[in-house]
Amino acid sequence: MRGLHADTGYLLYRLGLRSGQLFNTFLQESGLRLRHYAVLRFLATAEGALQRELSARLGYDPSAIVGLVDDLEKLGFAERRPAPDDRRSRIVVLTEAGGAFLRGTDEAGLRVTNELLAPLAPAERETLHALLLRVAEDGLS
C-alpha cells in the first residue's frame, strides 16, 4: 500500500488547503474569503459576467455565486448592471473600489505564494507554475 505522500492528487489537495488557509487569514480583516477574491479577480479580467458564467468559470454552485455577489455589492466592490444585449439579464462588473481592493492585495498575495513555495528555487517555481497552468487549463476548457 502506498502512503499518502506518494499520491500526487493528495499532495495537490493539501497544498490547496494550505494556500486557502493562508489567503483566508490575510483576507479576514477585510471580511472577505478566497471565494470572494476569486470572483473579483475574474471580474478584473472581464468587462462583466453573467452570474451563470461566474458559476461555470469558477466552478462554484450558482446559489453560492448569488451570495458572493451580494456580499461584494454590499462592500461596493461589484455591482449588477443590465446586460447590454439583454435588458432582462444582469451582468456583474467590478467597481473602482473593487479594483482598488485588488491592487491592495497584490503584495499580500505574493507573500502567501512566497511562503507556500519557499522550499523551491526560482526556476523550480516557474516550472511548477507552468505545469499547474497546463493541468488547470485542460480542466477549464
Side-chain angles (χ1 to χ4, degrees):
M1 180 171 171
R2 12 180 250 170
L4 280 175
H5 290 160
D7 185 330
T8 303
Y10 175 76
L11 292 174
L12 288 170
Y13 167 75
R14 292 290 302 176
L15 183 60
L17 283 179
R18 180 74 179 128
S19 175
Q21 289 168 344
L22 288 171
F23 221 90
N24 279 328
T25 297
F26 152 69
L27 289 170
Q28 239 175 4
E29 61 192 53
S30 68
L32 297 181
R33 308 260 316 143
L34 188 52
R35 288 178 157 232
H36 295 99
Y37 177 82
V39 171
L40 290 174
R41 278 286 169 208
F42 181 84
L43 292 175
T45 64
E47 291 191 27
L50 296 170
Q51 288 182 173
R52 68 178 168 265
E53 180 185 4
L54 289 171
S55 173
R57 294 295 300 268
L58 297 173
Y60 297 159
D61 185 83
S63 62
I65 290 293
V66 171
L68 292 169
V69 173
D70 287 347
D71 294 343
L72 294 171
E73 272 194 316
K74 287 176 190 162
L75 291 168
F77 291 170
E79 65 184 22
R80 291 175 176 100
R81 295 182 183 162
D85 55 341
D86 181 358
R87 305 294 280 173
R88 295 170 296 166
S89 294
R90 312 286 280 168
I91 60 170
V92 182
V93 296
L94 185 70
T95 64
E96 285 187 38
F101 173 81
L102 283 176
R103 286 187 296 280
T105 66
D106 287 344
E107 186 177 319
L110 188 56
R111 281 195 313 267
V112 167
T113 298
N114 285 336
E115 183 174 334
L116 281 172
L117 302 181
L120 302 179
E124 292 173 317
R125 290 178 186 208
E126 288 179 26
T127 299
L128 176 63
H129 183 85
L131 292 170
L132 290 172
L133 188 58
R134 198 164 82 202
V135 171
E137 284 179 342
D138 187 57
L140 296 175
S141 311

